[in-house]
Amino acid sequence: GLLTGVAVLSSSTSYTITVGSGGTKATGCYPANVGYAGSSGGNSSAFCKTAIGGGYGQTNGAGSGGTGGSGGGTAGCAGNNGGAGTCGQGYSGGNANSSNGDGTGGGGASQSGDGSVRPGGGGVGGKGMQVNITGTQTYFAGGGGGGSSNGSTSRAQLGGFGGGGYGGVYSGVFIKGQCGSLGLGGGGGGGGRQSGTTNGAAGSGGSGVVIVSYCQPLKWTGGIATTYGCKIVHTFTSSGSLASIPACTVSVTY
């Protein structure tokens, strides 16, 4: 999930910043795969706002993807749905359209993941959202690409802009699903499958990030601080705290 907004902070308070970890990958092999879904990503929070971690991806035939900030993809039987996203934070994973084992794309911050639409090809991950808080337009929270059943490498499906990993495929050898990008909150790509017998490894989800910016000459500490123009930007890729030096009150964008 992705949230942006403005908060008014006081120098008398040290603010806790929580950065969520990426979800673990699904590990099951077809057909004995029930119960082998990945785990959902951890929540990121700051200033009484919480971005929900992405939903887990589901293995072939085992059911629907997990709900989250953006929903996880699924695979296999038609009627298995992608997980739902959270209103105002992200979109749903794609729905399975066939029984050929192809994975669907995970949802992104601005777009749902694609369903599996052809033999041998998974769905593309949903696009993340572009935010300019660091001085550069950057995509965050892209969905992971769906894994493909036995097919050519051209059927390895892309993850969404914003750190989504591409889906795996089997084409003589397994090409593993790519992990989501750390610090962008991207979803991991699904694993490839060989003719209904063996699954290649999927990718884990990328960890989250909390970014805070404000105008100089005010000074706060915490995270990795950089300056662009009149702005100071604090980037938290791991949990920590934000505190002011010297005493002041400031409006920040996150």
Side-chain angles (χ1 to χ4, degrees), residues 18-234:
T18 301
V19 176
S21 60
T24 59
K25 61 190 178 184
T27 57
C29 290
Y30 178 88
N33 52 13
V34 176
Y36 287 95
S39 68
S40 296
N43 298 342
S44 294
S45 61
F47 320 130
C48 300
K49 301 290 185 180
T50 299
I52 307 299
Y56 60 80
Q58 186 59 272
T59 51
N60 178 53
S64 297
T67 60
S70 295
T74 186
C77 301
N80 286 346
N81 295 323
T86 299
C87 183
Q89 296 194 24
Y91 287 75
S92 62
N95 298 331
N97 298 317
S98 66
S99 299
N100 57 17
D102 297 327
T104 69
S110 66
Q111 183 185 52
S112 296
D114 286 345
S116 52
V117 295
R118 68 184 193 281
V124 176
K127 186 167 62 175
M129 182 179 291
Q130 217 174 15
V131 179
N132 183 3
I133 192 172
T134 63
T136 303
Q137 289 283 358
T138 304
Y139 280 99
F140 295 92
S148 300
S149 61
N150 191 17
S152 69
T153 55
S154 64
R155 289 172 171 166
Q157 289 304 296
L158 297 176
F161 294 140
Y166 58 74
V169 67
Y170 178 82
S171 182
V173 295
F174 282 115
I175 297 174
K176 295 180 179 180
Q178 186 184 38
C179 293
S181 295
L182 301 177
L184 293 179
R193 182 169 73 90
Q194 179 189 10
S195 302
T197 59
T198 306
N199 287 351
S204 299
S207 57
V209 66
V210 174
I211 304 174
V212 180
S213 74
Y214 54 88
C215 287
Q216 301 187 58
L218 302 171
K219 179 72 174 180
W220 291 62
T221 63
I224 300 170
T226 57
T227 301
Y228 76 95
C230 69
K231 295 292 186 76
I232 298 177
V233 178
H234 294 255

